[in-house]
Each structure stands twice: as structure tokens, then as C-alpha cells.
Amino acid sequence: MDKTKMKKVETFASIFGEDHSEVPSEKQDGTTSLKLDDLIPFRNHPFKLYEGDRFNDMVESIKNYGVIVPIVVRKVDDKYEILSGHNRVNAAKEAGLTEVPTVIKEGLTEEEATLIVTETNLMQRSFSDLAYSERATVIATRHTAMKKQGVRNDLLDEIEKLSKAPDLSADSTFRPMGEKLRSDQNIGEEYGISPRNISRYLRINELSAPLKDLVDEGKIAMRAGVDLSYLSQENQEMVEAIISENTFKVDMKKAALLRKHEKEGNLNWNTAQKIISGDMLKSTGKVKPFKLEPTIISKYFNPNEDKKAIEKTIEKALDFYFSQMKNQSHDIEEGEEMIE
């Protein structure tokens, strides 16, 4: 073995070279060969797995070259939970392999394990390529990591190396750690979105898994998803059942109405169905006549002011109000387009 290759192997082994003598098939480069049957997916894995041409291309690559980049796991009971490499494992099975090269991590907290799952996935794809629910997971995980002092900085550097083969060229398409993973960077600057949208993604992360899927599918608008995230888990399940059963969509008005009724303590199946179907929002096209309270009139107008003049002033005030509301709505829509 030439000196250059030996150096790469030694460097790789120094990263992953913990003692796993109890595990069979340990190799000199610090990786371990594990049977595919001994692997289980990360619980509640938040990322969409490859399908179609992308998956087929990976299968063909593995048939030709094997699994070049080791997967990352941790031991859970008598199995090994995948932290990085779900797509490689699925493709390896399809390619007919029975074992894959593996890096076994020990002593991880739940937070550190989740950080490996999210950041290694993000390294493979652009943030803008992720579905809404996947972006929410990435931001929520990073947000938690930034708030806690216990996350090891060395783990952040190691995550990048966990995603690379030892002979990966210097012109790799992976973005450097300093660009993506430093916990002292502002989340909004990292992902190019406003603090307001950071808050929205954190709320989306509070949705139940089925509702997150509906947001990704466009059956629930993102802003509507924010309102729905405040509902109890029981009511979220009810809303998901009504949407799925009738293929309804939920916009901001419907979501706000659902949240309002829950807050008032009168959200049930019938009410939710009327709201989601749009029946509760239907109108005859006519506004029922009403009178302004005298206290409101006297607050803004003189007692002797002409009735027609008062009506004209109110009309101008309403024109201005709804014009401002329309502009505000337009600004919100532009903000939504920017995060897409």
C-alpha cells in the first residue's frame, strides 16, 4: 500500500476508530461489516426516501461499485438503528447485497443522534429541495442544538466526515461544515429565510405526521398548517381524518376558524366537517343590515355632523383599511414564494 493511501486509511480510522471488538467483521479502516437483516430504520425517520430514477441509479451504482460510503448506526438492543444511509441500505437490498460497511457510534444522546440524521441528509440535498416537513425537521433540530450547550462541537465536524468516503476528492459537491453546521450561525442566514418563517417552520414541526404529509402534498397551506399546529393531538387526528376522507383542502381561513372553535371549547366532528368542507364559510352574498352603536359614532364624529358626511367618511376609512389588508396579504404571499 503506498504512503498516500496508507495516510488516508489512518485518517479514516482515527475518525471512526473506536473499539468494537465485540462486533464481527471489523475492518482495518475502522468500519464494520453488518448484515442488512440486523439493521432497523431510525424511528420516525423524517425524510422522504428515494424513488424512481434516483433510486434505480443508486441501485445500479451499488451493483457496479458496492456501497462506497459507510452507513452510520447505533446499537439498539440486538439491532442497529440507521442514522445515516437509509437509501443506501434499501438500494443495497435491491442490488442483492447481504452486508454493508458501517460506522457504529456509541454514547450518543438522542439529540446528537437526531443531528446526525438531519445533517447527513441535508448534505446530500439542497435545503430548497426538501419538502416543508423535512425543512421543519432540519430547522427544529438545529434550533434545539443551538439552545443547548451540551452538543459537542467535535460531533458537528465529524458529521461531515461521516458522509464522505476516505478517498473523496477535494472538489467534492458536499458543502463545507463551516457553511452549514456551525451552531453559532444564525439559522435564518444559513437557510436564507426570515425569522418569521423560521417560527412558522418550528410550528409545522409540531404537527402530527399525517398532517405534515398533507402540508407536503399541498392539501394544507403552510400558513394554515401553522394554525393547525396549535390544535390538540386528538383534534389534529380528527382534522386529518376529515380531510383524507373527503379530499378537502384547508386554507388559512378554515384553519383559523378551527383554532378559534377549539379555543372556545366547541370543536367537534360536525363543526370541524362544516368548517373544512367550506359550508360554514358559505354566504348568500348579502350582508345582514345592522346599525353602528351610538358610542362608536360619538367617538369619532360631532353630534351635529351630517349623516351623509359620516357615511362618506366611514366608506373612505373602510377603503383605506381593506387596501392595507390587501397589500399585507400580498407581502405574505411573496414571503411564502421565497421560502419555496
Side-chain angles (χ1 to χ4, degrees):
M1 181 181 296
D2 61 59
K3 292 182 179 180
T4 303
K5 191 169 183 181
M6 177 67 77
K7 186 175 181 181
K8 289 178 180 177
V9 170
E10 289 174 352
T11 301
F12 197 55
S14 69
I15 298 169
F16 308 126
E18 300 175 3
D19 182 16
H20 301 294
S21 55
E22 75 281 6
V23 180
S25 306
E26 185 177 356
K27 300 179 181 178
Q28 289 185 341
D29 61 2
T31 66
T32 299
S33 184
L34 289 181
K35 294 183 181 300
L36 292 173
D37 290 342
D38 291 335
L39 303 176
I40 57 175
F42 187 72
R43 78 272 182 269
N44 300 322
H45 186 247
F47 295 93
K48 316 291 183 190
L49 296 176
Y50 292 170
E51 296 178 338
D53 290 342
R54 190 169 191 179
F55 178 72
N56 293 334
D57 288 345
M58 179 174 278
V59 172
E60 282 303 310
S61 174
I62 288 176
K63 283 181 178 179
N64 292 325
Y65 307 107
V67 177
I68 298 173
V69 180
I71 69 168
V72 182
V73 302
R74 63 173 176 174
K75 191 163 187 182
V76 176
D77 299 326
D78 61 341
K79 295 289 186 179
Y80 293 89
E81 184 179 39
I82 305 168
L83 303 180
S84 173
H86 291 79
N87 289 302
R88 275 166 281 165
V89 167
N90 288 342
K93 289 179 181 177
E94 184 69 20
L97 273 62
T98 58
E99 297 184 350
V100 288
T102 308
V103 172
I104 302 173
K105 297 301 296 175
E106 294 180 344
L108 294 175
T109 65
E110 284 301 310
E111 180 180 80
E112 290 167 341
T114 304
L115 198 60
I116 290 176
V117 173
T118 56
E119 295 297 345
T120 52
N121 268 277
L122 188 56
M123 283 177 180
Q124 313 301 322
R125 297 178 285 174
S126 166
F127 182 77
S128 61
D129 291 336
L130 300 178
Y132 283 127
S133 63
E134 294 174 327
R135 297 180 198 177
T137 298
V138 168
I139 288 174
T141 303
R142 172 52 56 82
H143 186 260
T144 301
M146 288 177 69
K147 289 195 302 182
K148 293 198 174 183
Q149 299 299 318
V151 177
R152 307 195 315 264
N153 287 332
D154 63 306
L155 179 66
L156 298 178
D157 288 322
E158 188 173 6
I159 289 172
E160 182 182 25
K161 296 167 185 174
L162 291 172
S163 295
K164 294 183 179 181
D167 59 347
L168 199 63
S169 62
D171 61 347
S172 165
T173 56
F174 289 113
R175 292 173 62 184
M177 187 66 57
E179 248 184 279
K180 292 178 73 67
L181 291 178
R182 285 301 172 201
S183 60
D184 57 357
Q185 287 183 341
N186 179 273
I187 297 177
E189 291 178 356
E190 278 192 59
Y191 303 126
I193 53 181
S194 69
R196 178 180 293 180
N197 283 327
I198 290 290
S199 298
R200 288 172 182 161
Y201 277 123
L202 291 174
R203 289 309 315 174
I204 291 295
N205 198 57
E206 297 298 317
L207 285 172
S208 65
L211 288 185
K212 285 180 183 176
D213 289 339
L214 292 175
V215 171
D216 291 341
E217 293 167 13
K219 293 179 181 177
I220 298 176
M222 182 181 175
R223 290 287 308 281
V226 172
D227 266 329
L228 294 181
S229 72
Y230 289 97
L231 300 181
S232 67
Q233 283 299 308
E234 182 181 357
N235 281 336
Q236 286 191 34
E237 290 175 9
M238 177 178 67
V239 167
E240 187 273 330
I242 293 172
I243 296 172
S244 299
E245 184 179 296
N246 301 277
T247 64
F248 291 133
K249 291 187 177 183
V250 177
D251 57 18
M252 290 172 57
K253 288 182 180 179
K254 292 178 181 179
L257 205 51
L258 287 165
R259 184 180 174 187
K260 175 177 178 291
H261 276 268
E262 182 185 78
K263 189 175 182 180
E264 294 171 352
N266 56 13
L267 184 62
N268 53 43
W269 182 276
N270 289 335
T271 302
Q273 193 165 41
K274 287 179 181 178
I275 293 172
I276 295 170
S277 68
D279 288 346
M280 193 171 284
L281 297 171
K282 288 178 181 177
S283 170
T284 61
K286 295 182 180 180
V287 179
K288 293 181 180 179
F290 65 95
K291 291 183 179 180
L292 289 175
E293 294 293 331
T295 53
I296 297 177
I297 298 294
S298 61
K299 183 177 179 180
Y300 297 103
F301 300 98
N302 295 323
N304 299 324
E305 196 152 358
D306 181 69
K307 179 181 176 182
K308 291 292 183 184
I310 292 175
E311 290 175 349
K312 194 68 176 176
T313 301
I314 292 174
E315 183 181 0
K316 288 181 179 179
L318 290 173
D319 283 342
F320 177 77
Y321 171 79
F322 284 110
S323 173
Q324 293 296 106
M325 290 295 290
K326 184 176 180 181
N327 290 337
Q328 183 178 348
S329 176
H330 178 69
D331 291 341
I332 291 172
E333 289 176 0
E334 284 189 340
E336 293 292 339
E337 289 175 1
M338 288 179 65
I339 64 175
E340 291 178 5

mmCIF file of all heavy atoms in Angstrom, residues 5 8-9 12 68-69 164-170:
data_model
loop_
_atom_site.group_PDB
_atom_site.id
_atom_site.type_symbol
_atom_site.label_atom_id
_atom_site.label_comp_id
_atom_site.label_asym_id
_atom_site.label_seq_id
_atom_site.Cartn_x
_atom_site.Cartn_y
_atom_site.Cartn_z
ATOM 1 N N LYS A 5 -2.123 6.420 0.271
ATOM 2 C CA LYS A 5 -3.322 5.628 0.581
ATOM 3 C C LYS A 5 -3.316 5.210 2.043
ATOM 4 O O LYS A 5 -4.357 5.198 2.707
ATOM 5 C CB LYS A 5 -3.371 4.400 -0.325
ATOM 6 C CG LYS A 5 -4.712 3.679 -0.260
ATOM 7 C CD LYS A 5 -4.819 2.648 -1.353
ATOM 8 C CE LYS A 5 -6.192 1.992 -1.325
ATOM 9 N NZ LYS A 5 -6.329 0.958 -2.364
ATOM 10 N N LYS A 8 -4.544 8.023 4.178
ATOM 11 C CA LYS A 8 -5.997 8.182 4.125
ATOM 12 C C LYS A 8 -6.689 7.165 5.014
ATOM 13 O O LYS A 8 -7.647 7.478 5.715
ATOM 14 C CB LYS A 8 -6.500 8.040 2.680
ATOM 15 C CG LYS A 8 -6.117 9.215 1.796
ATOM 16 C CD LYS A 8 -6.606 8.993 0.389
ATOM 17 C CE LYS A 8 -6.244 10.166 -0.519
ATOM 18 N NZ LYS A 8 -6.641 9.931 -1.912
ATOM 19 N N VAL A 9 -6.196 5.937 4.979
ATOM 20 C CA VAL A 9 -6.792 4.893 5.804
ATOM 21 C C VAL A 9 -6.611 5.215 7.279
ATOM 22 O O VAL A 9 -7.519 5.069 8.094
ATOM 23 C CB VAL A 9 -6.180 3.511 5.475
ATOM 24 C CG1 VAL A 9 -6.625 2.471 6.500
ATOM 25 C CG2 VAL A 9 -6.575 3.084 4.078
ATOM 26 N N PHE A 12 -8.972 8.016 8.272
ATOM 27 C CA PHE A 12 -10.340 7.497 8.383
ATOM 28 C C PHE A 12 -10.493 6.695 9.669
ATOM 29 O O PHE A 12 -11.482 6.823 10.392
ATOM 30 C CB PHE A 12 -10.622 6.616 7.164
ATOM 31 C CG PHE A 12 -12.081 6.357 6.934
ATOM 32 C CD1 PHE A 12 -12.973 7.404 6.806
ATOM 33 C CD2 PHE A 12 -12.568 5.067 6.834
ATOM 34 C CE1 PHE A 12 -14.319 7.181 6.571
ATOM 35 C CE2 PHE A 12 -13.910 4.826 6.607
ATOM 36 C CZ PHE A 12 -14.785 5.886 6.474
ATOM 37 N N ILE A 68 -19.881 2.544 -1.254
ATOM 38 C CA ILE A 68 -18.589 3.208 -1.058
ATOM 39 C C ILE A 68 -18.546 3.944 0.275
ATOM 40 O O ILE A 68 -17.585 3.845 1.022
ATOM 41 C CB ILE A 68 -18.303 4.181 -2.225
ATOM 42 C CG1 ILE A 68 -18.225 3.400 -3.539
ATOM 43 C CG2 ILE A 68 -17.000 4.928 -1.976
ATOM 44 C CD1 ILE A 68 -18.106 4.281 -4.768
ATOM 45 N N VAL A 69 -19.586 4.717 0.558
ATOM 46 C CA VAL A 69 -19.633 5.498 1.800
ATOM 47 C C VAL A 69 -20.329 4.667 2.874
ATOM 48 O O VAL A 69 -21.495 4.291 2.707
ATOM 49 C CB VAL A 69 -20.389 6.833 1.593
ATOM 50 C CG1 VAL A 69 -20.427 7.624 2.888
ATOM 51 C CG2 VAL A 69 -19.722 7.645 0.487
ATOM 52 N N LYS A 164 -18.555 11.116 4.007
ATOM 53 C CA LYS A 164 -17.570 11.069 2.938
ATOM 54 C C LYS A 164 -16.778 9.771 2.952
ATOM 55 O O LYS A 164 -16.448 9.235 4.006
ATOM 56 C CB LYS A 164 -16.587 12.236 3.065
ATOM 57 C CG LYS A 164 -17.217 13.601 2.859
ATOM 58 C CD LYS A 164 -16.148 14.672 2.933
ATOM 59 C CE LYS A 164 -16.731 16.059 2.705
ATOM 60 N NZ LYS A 164 -15.701 17.104 2.740
ATOM 61 N N ALA A 165 -16.460 9.290 1.771
ATOM 62 C CA ALA A 165 -15.537 8.167 1.658
ATOM 63 C C ALA A 165 -14.125 8.679 1.928
ATOM 64 O O ALA A 165 -13.833 9.853 1.710
ATOM 65 C CB ALA A 165 -15.614 7.571 0.257
ATOM 66 N N PRO A 166 -13.196 7.822 2.383
ATOM 67 C CA PRO A 166 -11.854 8.289 2.718
ATOM 68 C C PRO A 166 -11.080 8.841 1.540
ATOM 69 O O PRO A 166 -10.182 9.631 1.707
ATOM 70 C CB PRO A 166 -11.169 7.025 3.277
ATOM 71 C CG PRO A 166 -12.000 5.882 2.805
ATOM 72 C CD PRO A 166 -13.396 6.406 2.674
ATOM 73 N N ASP A 167 -11.437 8.458 0.309
ATOM 74 C CA ASP A 167 -10.706 8.955 -0.856
ATOM 75 C C ASP A 167 -11.531 9.950 -1.657
ATOM 76 O O ASP A 167 -11.304 10.137 -2.837
ATOM 77 C CB ASP A 167 -10.291 7.791 -1.751
ATOM 78 C CG ASP A 167 -11.498 6.990 -2.237
ATOM 79 O OD1 ASP A 167 -12.588 7.185 -1.691
ATOM 80 O OD2 ASP A 167 -11.319 6.185 -3.162
ATOM 81 N N LEU A 168 -12.513 10.593 -0.996
ATOM 82 C CA LEU A 168 -13.349 11.564 -1.703
ATOM 83 C C LEU A 168 -12.485 12.720 -2.159
ATOM 84 O O LEU A 168 -11.671 13.250 -1.405
ATOM 85 C CB LEU A 168 -14.449 12.071 -0.774
ATOM 86 C CG LEU A 168 -15.655 12.725 -1.425
ATOM 87 C CD1 LEU A 168 -16.400 11.719 -2.295
ATOM 88 C CD2 LEU A 168 -16.586 13.274 -0.356
ATOM 89 N N SER A 169 -12.654 13.146 -3.390
ATOM 90 C CA SER A 169 -11.790 14.182 -3.945
ATOM 91 C C SER A 169 -12.035 15.527 -3.294
ATOM 92 O O SER A 169 -13.084 15.793 -2.735
ATOM 93 C CB SER A 169 -12.026 14.297 -5.458
ATOM 94 O OG SER A 169 -13.356 14.671 -5.708
ATOM 95 N N ALA A 170 -11.066 16.405 -3.415
ATOM 96 C CA ALA A 170 -11.148 17.727 -2.784
ATOM 97 C C ALA A 170 -12.236 18.582 -3.384
ATOM 98 O O ALA A 170 -12.741 19.497 -2.754
ATOM 99 C CB ALA A 170 -9.795 18.435 -2.912
#
